[in-house]
Amino acid sequence: MLGAINSFIDRITMYKLLLYYLIALLGVAVILGTTGDLGYKPLYIAISAILLPTACWVINKIFAWIFHAPTNSDSSLITGLILALIITPDPTLTNYGLTFMLAAAGLAVASKYLLTIRRKHIFNPAAIAVVLTALGPRQDASWWVGTAVMLPFVIIGGVLLAIKLRRSIMITTFFGSAIVATVLFSLFTSTSVTTSLHSLLVSSPLFFLGFVMLTEPSTSPTMNTKQNIYAALVGILLPPQVHILRLYSSPELALTTGNLFSYLVSSKIKLFPIIKDKQRITSDSADFVFDPGAKLKYLPGQYMEWTLPHHKTDLRGNRRYFTLASSPTESDVRIGVKFYQHGSSYKKALLAIDRSTPIVADQLAGDFVMPKDKKTKLVFVAGGIGITPFRSMVKYLLDTNEERTITLLYSIKKKSDIAYGPVFEEAHKKIGLKIVYLVTDESPAEDEQHVVHGRLTTGTIKKLVPDFEDRLFYVSGTHQMVHDVRNMLIDMDVHQSQVKIDFFPGYS
């Protein structure tokens, strides 16, 4: 079952998974409204589900035209669907429902363009929109998705999102801190702890907020430790008893306060790079070299989100996360990309990119970086294009003439599949990098250097890295490859803390 779930979510981007999840929630709400279990008219739910995403999409197009910015339809539709799930579905003019909806849609989209610093938006768009409507015309979000009948559906889809994002620890920290804060505030105010916890866990937007809005990549921290602090902060501020003077907390206020913290501690980088060169590095992979247009500071092994608007965008969307194959010591930025016979519209557009093509790179992130202790002995395990972070690290070590004890185990089908070989060969000669190419689909030949034929096994690791118990392993490749190698190492009694895996949202 878990294998089937992983296979499904690995074939879909994070944004598409979230989009389908939100649509499914609204579909369930329409059904529950029809049966009378939800308490809202199904027609009104349907109107909200159509009106708000459409308004966000249109308004986003207008702002993008004014600011000459690339558009992303998934982002605006997701914002609209979130609003449809937190604003009471009541579009009647007598209650200013329609006006409230359109105002919220406008404010949400506008926040992405106007509430920015260094071209980076600060707040979750849906959350800041309902904060502003609450403080201004005093139209509050009801967060109606946080009801008992919707809870099972919110949790099922939310768990899939958590698996996709690999942010389970961050989400758990949020839930835990919210529960602890609720208990403490209940004790402090002499209210029933049982009643407060029941309200939090069953009849509040706790789970929707945690799974959907807390984890938004562009407004949450990019490093693990900061993510957990951010999650704890939002959780502590969530209980309704929290207040400053007469201003009581709400889910949107708790989240936007956390967004401010996130902005302060996160990368502010947003680039508009220009392509300089495209090079075929293997039979199915290419290296793209960009002029970043500004000095980019990062750690070897980190990644960025790359937005490439293009015509006839398929269901995979126009955003991808790519590890930076370049080193911080290089003036150019490069990414290594694998292509398939029936590739996505994004990959086809990337192949056709030229100097006039607009592309945006932001959300610099990732903890898949070398340890500060240079004496720590390392093993780099790569499969296919998963070699990119190791090219970044090794090139950095070469340029800084920094020697570390490293063994590179690079699994490929044929020797012609070796990417960035010259960099590793140079590092072998100059700084002592040990290279082992594990070739799986090719017969042995004479005069092969650094080549071992066969798949990576526990026996292979023990033979090539006899001191494996004292090493820190870095594993990068396809999800299945990373999963298999990680389990292999744990079976060899390598502690989990000694295994770092390369992951970024929307990996597939």
Side-chain angles (χ1 to χ4, degrees):
M1 177 65 74
L2 287 176
I5 291 173
N6 281 326
S7 178
F8 166 72
I9 64 176
D10 278 343
R11 290 196 300 267
I12 187 172
T13 65
M14 175 196 68
Y15 298 105
K16 288 300 181 185
L17 180 61
L18 177 56
L19 186 67
Y20 298 154
Y21 168 51
L22 296 174
I23 292 172
L25 284 180
L26 285 163
V28 168
V30 169
I31 295 171
L32 293 175
T34 302
T35 61
D37 293 327
L38 188 59
Y40 297 106
K41 295 181 179 179
L43 177 61
Y44 285 1
I45 297 172
I47 291 174
S48 295
I50 295 171
L51 175 65
L52 283 162
T54 301
C56 286
W57 185 85
V58 171
I59 296 168
N60 186 63
K61 285 285 186 181
I62 295 171
F63 271 98
W65 176 75
I66 293 172
F67 286 88
H68 304 287
T71 59
N72 189 301
S73 57
D74 283 355
S75 179
S76 56
L77 292 175
I78 287 170
T79 298
L81 291 168
I82 291 174
L83 288 173
L85 286 159
I86 67 176
I87 293 176
T88 303
D90 181 10
T92 56
L93 291 173
T94 53
N95 293 328
Y96 301 100
L98 182 61
T99 305
F100 176 27
M101 289 182 184
L102 293 176
L107 289 169
V109 174
S111 71
K112 300 182 183 182
Y113 296 89
L114 302 180
L115 297 180
T116 64
I117 301 176
R118 296 182 182 178
R119 298 182 291 189
K120 177 181 172 64
H121 73 269
I122 305 169
F123 302 105
N124 178 283
I128 192 62
V130 292
V131 166
L132 294 174
T133 57
L135 296 177
R138 298 190 180 279
Q139 292 281 350
D140 296 310
S142 64
W143 294 84
W144 64 272
V145 68
T147 53
V149 292
M150 291 292 293
L151 182 60
F153 307 100
V154 170
I155 291 178
I156 291 171
V159 169
L160 291 179
L161 278 175
I163 294 172
K164 180 67 178 180
L165 287 165
R166 307 298 198 273
R167 290 192 174 186
S168 299
I169 295 177
M170 171 185 170
I171 295 170
T172 303
T173 299
F174 167 68
F175 292 156
S177 61
I179 290 170
V180 170
T182 297
V183 170
L184 293 177
F185 277 108
S186 297
L187 294 173
F188 182 74
T189 56
S190 300
T191 56
S192 170
V193 172
T194 303
T195 301
S196 296
L197 283 177
H198 182 273
S199 177
L200 175 72
L201 298 173
V202 179
S203 304
S204 84
L206 172 74
F207 293 100
F208 184 80
L209 188 70
F211 287 128
V212 175
M213 300 175 73
L214 181 84
T215 56
E216 185 197 23
S218 59
T219 55
S220 60
T222 57
M223 308 298 279
N224 290 339
T225 301
K226 294 173 183 177
Q227 285 176 1
N228 292 329
I229 296 173
Y230 160 73
L233 173 63
V234 178
I236 291 169
L237 295 176
L238 185 63
Q241 299 98 322
V242 178
H243 66 279
I244 300 175
L245 299 178
R246 295 185 178 182
L247 182 64
Y248 280 80
S249 183
S250 64
E252 58 266 31
L253 276 174
L255 183 60
T256 51
T257 302
N259 292 158
L260 279 173
F261 165 80
S262 175
Y263 179 83
L264 293 174
V265 301
S266 299
S267 168
K268 316 297 188 300
I269 295 169
K270 189 170 188 177
L271 303 177
F272 297 86
I274 298 173
I275 190 68
K276 290 181 64 176
D277 194 15
K278 291 179 281 187
Q279 303 169 351
R280 180 72 64 175
I281 51 176
T282 70
S283 60
D284 58 4
S285 302
D287 196 43
F288 293 80
V289 183
F290 294 89
D291 177 354
K295 180 63 176 176
L296 178 61
K297 294 182 179 180
Y298 59 100
L299 298 175
Q302 291 191 301
Y303 63 85
M304 297 185 76
E305 183 184 61
W306 297 72
T307 302
L308 176 58
H310 57 278
H311 296 294
K312 298 182 180 179
T313 305
D314 62 18
L315 293 177
R316 298 285 306 281
N318 63 6
R319 293 188 280 192
R320 293 290 190 281
Y321 287 86
F322 293 116
T323 296
L324 300 177
S326 51
S327 162
T329 55
E330 298 175 291
S331 58
D332 295 329
V333 170
R334 67 175 68 222
I335 55 175
V337 183
K338 183 174 182 177
F339 293 87
Y340 299 88
Q341 184 176 0
H342 302 290
S344 64
S345 64
Y346 184 102
K347 295 286 184 74
K348 293 174 182 176
L350 188 61
L351 275 176
I353 195 173
D354 58 32
R355 293 184 62 84
S356 65
T357 305
I359 187 168
V360 180
D362 61 355
Q363 294 188 47
L364 176 66
D367 291 292
F368 195 75
V369 298
M370 291 183 290
K372 293 181 179 179
D373 185 357
K374 299 176 183 179
K375 295 181 180 179
T376 303
K377 294 187 290 185
L378 311 175
V379 179
F380 293 164
V381 184
I385 201 61
I387 195 67
T388 51
F390 302 131
R391 192 273 179 195
S392 175
M393 295 176 188
V394 171
K395 179 61 176 171
Y396 175 82
L397 296 176
L398 264 174
D399 291 345
T400 58
N401 198 32
E402 181 180 312
E403 293 188 13
R404 293 191 185 224
T405 304
I406 302 174
T407 296
L408 170 64
L409 305 180
Y410 186 5
S411 179
I412 47 178
K413 291 183 178 180
K414 298 177 292 186
K415 291 192 291 292
S416 59
D417 291 333
I418 296 172
Y420 308 117
V423 173
F424 302 129
E425 295 291 340
E426 184 181 358
H428 171 68
K429 295 175 183 177
K430 293 184 177 179
I431 58 174
L433 173 71
K434 181 180 178 181
I435 310 168
V436 180
Y437 299 123
L438 294 150
V439 180
T440 61
D441 296 358
E442 199 170 60
S443 301
E446 295 182 1
D447 300 325
E448 291 181 318
Q449 287 189 325
H450 315 305
V451 174
V452 172
H453 287 268
R455 298 186 179 279
L456 185 68
T457 64
T458 55
T460 307
I461 295 174
K462 290 177 180 178
K463 181 179 179 180
L464 298 173
V465 192
D467 59 345
F468 68 91
E469 293 177 325
D470 302 324
R471 299 264 186 157
L472 181 61
F473 285 80
Y474 287 70
V475 187
S476 175
T478 64
H479 174 78
Q480 189 61 51
M481 177 263 184
V482 170
H483 179 267
D484 291 344
V485 173
R486 181 177 180 274
N487 287 344
M488 191 185 304
L489 292 169
I490 292 174
D491 289 342
M492 294 167 59
D493 292 328
V494 176
H495 195 272
Q496 291 186 13
S497 62
Q498 292 174 254
V499 183
K500 293 179 69 70
I501 62 175
D502 189 21
F503 172 77
F504 38 88
Y507 177 83
S508 61

